Amino acid sequence: VKGLKKALFYSTGKNYDIKAFTLKNDIIELAADATTIDFTKGSNAMTITIDGSTIYALAATTKSFYSSQGGEKGADYGATGDAPQTFVITNSTFYDLAGGKNFFSHRQNNQKWLKYEVKNNIFVNCGKAGQTIKGLNGGSQGSNPIWDIDGNVFNSQYDSENNRTEEMKDTGASEATGDADEPVKNTIAGVVTFKDVATGDFNGTIAVDEEVAAVPGDPRWTITQKVNPVDVVVEATDITDGKITDAIAAKAAGKPINNLTVNLAGGTNYTVTASMVVNGSVNIKAAGEGSAVIDASELSGNMIEMGDAALTEKVAVDAIAIENVTVKGLKKALFYSTGKNYD
């Protein structure tokens, strides 16, 4: 569905007892500020399922994604603690829905006859920052509803005052149910960048500190993981048998390197056998008497490389500095820039 200016579903009155409401493998584009699933005039659905779908707004909406406010509650149609009104949201991608507001609005929220099963989704700018799950329950937390929240990504550009900012943040750590026995589980920490929301292209990347087994969301899109670079400091005492390359690899632990500092001992012999690939500053210095000698004869590539050839925005690099060092046997560049935008 493209260019939707009003509700996807709207109940005009009471007494419709809908057993199952399902959106599966759908793409819904909202082109105006409207409640997407609207029961505000009455009626309700006992099970609302959204699976394998992408729902997004071209401009951020301010109205709740689902609402029965002013209408009828699930209990009016037989919902109980043993047979709750259930919201199942799985393997889906949501963007710019009810930003800075409660994600859902209920005729009566935080009840024992409500259940939320929310697994393996990506939520970006959905509800208040860090309160997407609380917002599902109309802005309330606690042990009354049944909660099953697992394996989601939560991002937001909204601040604590519900104002939109330029910076996209991972807000998953703030998500909570308010129920110690049924907490938010296995939230994936990372910041998602979609390729082109305006054209409905939700391929993209997720910047993570640790690689995850699988990225959630609508499986039709490819979200590539980019592990955030780390700063690495290698002291002379970290280097065994003069092997600088091994010491750097041990400190980086398989992650890309942002700023690299290598402190050497003057008058000592070292080897380098692989390029030092970085995204930030480099400081290689020897302290003490005499020059540190680096044998690069087994290095087939460049000694230092700026690592990201695909940068589209300028990145400030404080310094590239090599001091009190003698490099021998170097076959290629001492320093090589792989692309543009390193300042």
Side-chain angles (χ1 to χ4, degrees), residues 208-232:
V208 293
D209 289 334
E210 301 287 345
E211 192 166 308
V212 298
V215 179
D218 185 338
R220 286 173 291 196
W221 310 112
T222 299
I223 304 293
T224 303
Q225 297 184 57
K226 293 181 67 176
V227 178
N228 293 320
V230 295
D231 291 342
V232 169

Side-chain angles (χ1 to χ4, degrees), residues 107-283:
R107 177 68 180 85
Q108 200 170 26
N109 61 10
N110 202 34
Q111 300 300 308
K112 291 183 181 295
W113 41 261
L114 288 169
K115 178 180 179 180
Y116 305 100
E117 181 182 332
V118 183
K119 297 180 178 181
N120 304 322
N121 305 286
I122 295 175
F123 296 97
V124 178
N125 291 336
C126 292
K128 299 176 182 178
Q131 297 183 31
T132 301
I133 296 305
K134 181 179 179 180
L136 289 174
N137 195 35
S140 295
Q141 295 175 318
S143 59
N144 278 347
I146 300 168
W147 303 95
D148 189 2
I149 317 297
D150 196 346
N152 302 286
V153 171
F154 302 96
N155 286 181
S156 183
Q157 290 174 272
Y158 289 87
D159 62 20
S160 60
E161 302 298 321
N162 299 316
N163 298 310
R164 189 168 177 132
T165 67
E166 292 296 320
E167 184 181 6
M168 185 69 74
K169 296 181 180 179
D170 168 34
T171 54
S174 299
E175 293 289 339
T177 63
D179 185 343
D181 293 327
E182 297 175 341
V184 174
K185 298 178 293 186
N186 302 317
T187 298
I188 294 172
V191 175
V192 177
T193 301
F194 295 121
K195 186 174 181 180
D196 191 354
V197 172
T199 62
D201 187 344
F202 284 86
N203 295 298
T205 62
I206 181 169
V208 293
D209 289 334
E210 301 287 345
E211 192 166 308
V212 298
V215 179
D218 185 338
R220 286 173 291 196
W221 310 112
T222 299
I223 304 293
T224 303
Q225 297 184 57
K226 293 181 67 176
V227 178
N228 293 320
V230 295
D231 291 342
V232 169
V233 177
V234 174
E235 302 292 350
T237 53
D238 298 322
I239 303 172
T240 302
D241 297 330
K243 297 178 180 179
I244 295 174
T245 300
D246 290 355
I248 292 172
K251 286 295 187 80
K255 297 180 180 179
I257 298 172
N258 187 32
N259 300 311
L260 173 64
T261 299
V262 181
N263 293 316
L264 303 175
T268 304
N269 295 322
Y270 297 94
T271 62
V272 170
T273 56
S275 298
M276 303 177 195
V277 181
V278 299
N279 294 296
S281 297
V282 178
N283 284 281

Side-chain angles (χ1 to χ4, degrees), residues 9 11 15-22 39 43-47 77:
F9 175 87
S11 174
N15 296 321
Y16 285 103
D17 181 8
I18 301 170
K19 301 302 182 186
F21 182 105
T22 302
F39 286 99
S43 302
N44 221 313
M46 287 301 92
T47 300
Y77 290 89

Side-chain angles (χ1 to χ4, degrees), residues 18-68:
I18 301 170
K19 301 302 182 186
F21 182 105
T22 302
L23 300 176
K24 187 175 179 64
N25 298 334
D26 297 321
I27 297 176
I28 311 295
E29 177 193 88
L30 308 181
D33 191 3
T35 297
T36 307
I37 301 173
D38 192 340
F39 286 99
T40 54
K41 294 296 184 183
S43 302
N44 221 313
M46 287 301 92
T47 300
I48 293 179
T49 300
I50 302 172
D51 178 58
S53 295
T54 298
I55 304 176
Y56 67 101
L58 294 175
T61 63
T62 62
K63 295 182 179 178
S64 298
F65 175 74
Y66 159 91
S67 183
S68 60

